[in-house]
C-alpha cells in the first residue's frame, strides 16, 4: 500500500512544489510506530526544487555557522580511521561550485535553522507521521542535512544518531545499509561509545558485505535508514545532492539515552543491560539522560 498524505484542499495543478502536494511516497507497512527494523525504499517529489540549486546551497553555506559545515575528501576507503582524514584546501563556497571536479563530499548540518529548509523538513516529517498514523508531535528533535558530493565520492561506513529519510535530489548513489540490530556488524560497546560522543565511523573487517543491503538511488528515490544502522555511501559518476530529513521517536530517543548511560556504567566496571531488555531500567536511564541534556542545553556554548 502506498501512503500519501491527503491534501486539506484540492491541489493546485500537478506542481510537486505546491505547498499542498505530497512530497514522500512509501509503504507504511514497513514503518510501524515511527520506526522500522530494516531500511526500506521511498520515492519523493523534491527534484528540481529551487532550494537544491547549487548557488542556493552556496548561499545557505554562508548563512550557517562554520561549525555546521563539514567537508571531506571523497577518496576515502569504505573502512576509514577518522584520525587519518586529509584536509580539503578549498573554501566551502569553492567546494560547492567546483564539486564536479574537486573530489570531495560535504554536509551542511542543521539546515532547518534556515526557515525555508525548516519548513520543508517539517512537511516531510509531518507526512511521515501521517503515513505511520502518529501524532506529528511524536516525531521529535527534527533536523535536516544536505549532502553535496563529487562523482565517485565515498562516505565510509558510519553510524548516524537519528532516523533518516535520505532523499536523492541529483545524481546517483548506492547506499549499503546493515540492519540496526545486527551485532555481527557492530557490538554493544561500540554503540555505547558512539552515543557518548565517539566518532561516527565504524571500523570493521572488510568481510562484511554479506551483512549489508544495497540500495541504488537516482533522482526521486530515497531510503529510510533506521537508527542505529551502520551504512556507507558510494556516489555514482555525477555530482550528487541529497536531502536528509531526520527525527527521533520516543523509542530511538530512549535507545540513545540508554547507550549514553550504559557507557558511563561500563566505565565504572558494571555490565549494563542493552536497550530493550529491561523496560523500567530503560525509562529511568532515559529520564536521567534527558535531564542532563536539558541542563547542558542551558549552559553557554563552548568556545
Ligand atoms: Fe549517514
Amino acid at each position: 500500500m502506498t501512503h500519501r498524505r491527503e491534501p486539506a484542499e484540492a491541489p493546485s495543478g500537478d506542481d510537486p512544489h505546491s505547498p499542498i502536494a505530497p512530497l514522500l511516497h512509501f509503504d507504511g507497512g514497513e514503518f510501524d510506530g515511527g520506526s522500522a527494523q530494516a531500511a526500506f525504499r521511498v520515492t519523493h517529489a523534491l527534484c528540481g526544487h529551487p532550494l537544491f540549486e547549487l548557488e542556493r546551497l552556496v548561499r545557505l553555506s554562508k548563512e550557517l555557522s562554520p561549525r555546521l559545515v563539514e567537508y571531506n575528501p571523497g577518496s576515502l576507503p569504505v573502512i576509514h580511521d577518522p584520525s587519518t582524514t586529509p584536509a580539503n584546501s578549498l573554501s566551502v563556497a569553492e567546494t560547492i561550485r567546483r564539486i564536479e571536479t574537486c573530489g570531495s563530499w560535504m554536509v551542511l548540518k542543521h539546515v532547518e535553522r534556515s526557515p525555508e529548509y525548516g519548513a520543508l523538513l517539517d512537511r516531510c516529517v509531518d507526512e511521515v507521521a501521517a503515513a505511520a498514523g502518529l501524532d506529528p508531535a511524536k516525531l521529535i528533535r527534527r533536523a535536516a542535512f544536505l549532502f553535496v558530493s563529487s562523482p565517485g565520492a565515498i562516505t565510509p561506513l558510519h553510524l548516524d544518531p537519528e532516523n533518516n529519510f535520505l532523499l536523492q535530489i541529483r545524481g546517483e548513489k548506492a547506499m549499503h545499509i546493515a540492519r540496526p540490530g545486527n551485532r555481527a556488524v557492530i557490538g554493544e560497546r561500540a554503540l555505547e561509545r558512539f552515543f557518548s560522543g565517539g566518532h561516527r565511523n565504524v571500523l570493521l573487517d572488510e568481510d562484511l558485505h554479506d551483512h549489508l543491503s544495497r540500495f541504488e538511488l537516482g533522482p526521486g528515490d530515497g531510503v529510510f535508514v533506521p537508527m542505529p544502522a551502520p551504512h556507507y555511501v558510494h556516489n555514482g559518476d555525477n555530482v550528487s545532492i541529497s536531502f536528509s530529513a531526520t527525527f527521533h521517536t520516543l523509542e530511538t530517543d530512549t535507545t540513545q539515552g540508554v547507550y549514553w548511560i550504559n557507557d558511563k556504567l561500563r566505565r565504572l566496571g558494571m555490565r549494563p543491560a542493552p536497550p530493550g531488555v529491561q523496560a523500567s531500567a530503560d525509562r529511568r536511564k532515559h529520564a536521567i539522560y534527558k535531564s542532563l541534556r536539558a541542563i547542558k542545553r542551558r549552559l553557554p556554548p563552548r568556545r
Side-chain angles (χ1 to χ4, degrees), residues 147 155 158-160 162 164 166 175 200 225 231 233:
F147 297 89
T155 307
H158 66 281
L159 292 162
D160 292 317
E162 62 264 314
N164 176 16
L166 191 284
M175 298 275 291
R200 63 175 180 257
V225 185
H231 55 283
V233 188

Side-chain angles (χ1 to χ4, degrees), residues 36-39 159 177-183 186 191 225-230 259:
Q37 297 309 306
L159 292 162
I177 308 170
R179 293 177 79 91
N182 187 337
R183 292 294 168 266
I186 187 160
L191 288 166
V225 185
M227 190 200 96
Y259 276 130

